[in-house]
Amino acid sequence: MAQETLVVVGASLAGLRAAEAARKAGFEGGITLVGAEEHLPYDRPPLSKAYLDKLPDGASPASTEFRSADTLRDELGIELVLGAPATGLDTAGNRVLLDSGELGYDALVIATGAAARTLPGTDGLAGVHTLRTVDDAIVVRGALEAGARTVVVGAGFIGSEVAASARKRGLEVTVLEAMPTPLVRAVGERMGAACAALHERNGTTLRCGVGVSSLEGNGRVERVVLSDGTSVEADLVVVGIGAIPATDWLEGSGLQVDNGVVCDANLWTGVDRVYAAGDVARWHNPMFDRSMRLEHWTSAAEQGAVAARNALDPESAKPYQTVPYFWSDWYDSRIQFVGVPTADEIEIIDGNPESDGRWIALYREGDRLSGVLTLNGQNVIMKYRGLLMRKAGWGDALEFAASRHGASVAEA
Ligand code: FAD
């Protein structure tokens, strides 16, 4: 395999981990990392958290780049092709197409992630932003520095983190959510409401079950008009209504695309030597025996590594199975979830979500533990992830919970 070329499209977390894993596995051929953004690969989670925080006068937020250009080029021998979105894929000719030419590959990892969904009809209105890239974060941070009255459209994780950052600066913040409760898809209705209580406790106005009719302003946003006829004054509107897998460039490639690049358990697309990883990949997760597309840091990193190893040595390809995990920081609290949020029953086994700063909720599907959500449960969440990995039954999970948080479970 020494003379082969690995091309990775998407120069972010999954793509970088793919390139790193290839070298770690002893791959000595060429590695080209192609990225649409001009930036070196950087980390996204801090962009809606520490990156937005107020700093002492004159200080700038810390860079979130993973590695320097020198390390990437000289130590890892990665050729960087940045600011160059792939525009097409010719699987018959083993070529990735770029505006400036083409790149031949022997093995390919697709890691183009996802792009933020935008609010229709807001193009060209200043003060309206999504938050997906570091360029977005720079603009949002600038607006917060200027004291913007902030409206967040969508009470998902990223939007909620932005709201928390704005509140920490003492700004007026309203979060608008079209669904009756926030985070329905991520953690379910009941626990979504429990997380959302953090907004109210911290002085953020949360309005659920109301849509956005229009954004008004003369060149720059001045107010958000709601479907119930009321409006909220705004200098900054952050739109956090989800992300769309970045698959446009694969049109006509013959790859199966359906809410992401469809892959088997090995992250294989079905086309010789072409694998996918990260937010763009929808793969069969053997751990839960279902097809999933995650938008979580941990799985993107892990999938990148697995996809590269499998692409370079398909004969010994291994499946990627995982218990999904994500975290989110709101105000001074950490929300963590492991597993899947589909549940026949949710049991709070420690703390009271209405009043406490720490609680734990177990999700049951059939007779199996399917998920665990915690607020400030950093000391136990990975233990529950271990239970999920072992496919623990509901009874075992309750027994474990009783041994850890005895009194509360007994009362539940
Ligand atoms: P991405 O990070 O989306 O990277 C894909 C890259 O591919 C991008 O740089 C893009 O420009 C590039 N690209 C797209 N199309 C092309 C093309 N045609 N050609 C070349 N390049 C292309 N997860 C958590 O678990 N916890 C958190 O607290 C958390 N916070 C987050 C906060 C923010 C603001 C964001 C945006 C995400 C957060 N996430 C969090 C999610 C996590 O960051 C993502 O799951 C992770 O970045 C996915 O990595 P990826 O490499 O698959 O995709």
Side-chain angles (χ1 to χ4, degrees), residues 108-369:
L108 175 69
V109 173
I110 294 168
T112 44
R117 200 184 286 277
T118 54
L119 207 55
T122 58
D123 272 4
L125 193 59
V128 183
H129 304 283
T130 53
L131 182 39
R132 180 84 201 173
T133 66
V134 67
D135 295 328
D136 298 334
I138 289 168
V139 184
V140 170
R141 182 182 160 74
L144 297 178
E145 284 282 297
R149 291 166 301 173
T150 304
V151 172
V152 173
V153 179
F157 285 107
I158 292 174
S160 291
E161 289 181 339
V162 174
S165 300
R167 261 322 280 159
K168 276 204 260 172
R169 288 169 172 268
L171 302 177
E172 218 176 276
V173 189
T174 303
V175 178
L176 304 171
E177 170 58 51
M179 304 282 278
T181 55
L183 299 172
V184 175
R185 224 166 33 91
V187 296
E189 208 170 299
R190 177 172 166 211
M191 298 319 296
C195 294
L198 286 176
H199 285 315
E200 277 137 15
R201 266 188 246 160
N202 285 280
T204 295
T205 306
L206 172 67
R207 296 182 60 180
C208 291
V210 64
V212 170
S213 291
S214 62
L215 267 54
E216 289 182 355
N218 193 1
R220 163 165 286 281
V221 68
E222 289 166 25
R223 75 194 61 78
V224 180
V225 182
L226 308 181
S227 52
D228 63 3
T230 61
S231 61
V232 187
E233 300 295 304
D235 308 303
L236 167 69
V237 174
V238 178
V239 179
I241 53 173
I244 305 167
T247 53
D248 286 2
W249 67 285
L250 294 169
E251 222 177 280
S253 67
L255 293 194
Q256 195 189 343
V257 173
D258 177 9
N259 179 29
V261 177
V262 178
C263 302
D264 70 4
N266 295 351
L267 302 171
W268 184 45
T269 62
V271 171
D272 194 31
R273 310 286 304 268
V274 180
Y275 289 70
D279 287 11
V280 77
R282 185 154 76 76
W283 97 116
H284 184 84
N285 183 356
M287 183 71 76
F288 289 87
D289 191 23
R290 67 191 73 164
S291 175
M292 295 183 177
R293 187 178 69 80
L294 301 175
E295 292 178 5
H296 305 340
W297 194 98
T298 309
S299 45
E302 292 171 349
Q303 286 182 353
V306 173
R309 287 195 295 265
N310 288 350
L312 292 172
D313 187 4
E315 307 267 284
S316 341
K318 296 201 171 51
Y320 174 69
Q321 59 168 347
T322 193
V323 171
Y325 163 67
F326 69 80
W327 78 96
S328 184
D329 295 332
W330 299 21
Y331 308 95
D332 293 323
S333 292
R334 172 155 289 195
I335 295 168
Q336 288 167 294
F337 185 78
V338 287
V340 292
T342 43
D344 300 318
E345 178 191 354
I346 297 174
E347 186 152 344
I348 314 289
I349 49 98
D350 195 25
N352 178 351
E354 249 101 80
S355 53
D356 293 344
R358 176 190 147 90
W359 43 258
I360 300 169
L362 302 190
Y363 291 56
R364 174 182 68 77
E365 196 175 19
D367 58 3
R368 201 173 140 184
L369 176 70

Side-chain angles (χ1 to χ4, degrees), residues 99-114:
D99 273 342
S100 56
E102 60 182 55
L103 290 166
Y105 64 82
D106 298 293
L108 175 69
V109 173
I110 294 168
T112 44

Side-chain angles (χ1 to χ4, degrees), residues 35-77:
E37 295 177 71
E38 298 279 353
H39 305 286
L40 290 172
Y42 61 86
D43 206 14
R44 292 179 205 274
L47 300 179
S48 48
K49 305 177 183 70
Y51 200 89
L52 301 180
D53 285 350
K54 194 166 182 55
L55 297 170
D57 274 353
S60 325
S63 159
T64 76
E65 277 172 12
F66 288 112
R67 289 173 179 272
S68 69
D70 287 352
T71 307
L72 292 170
R73 291 199 177 105
D74 304 337
E75 284 176 32
L76 290 165

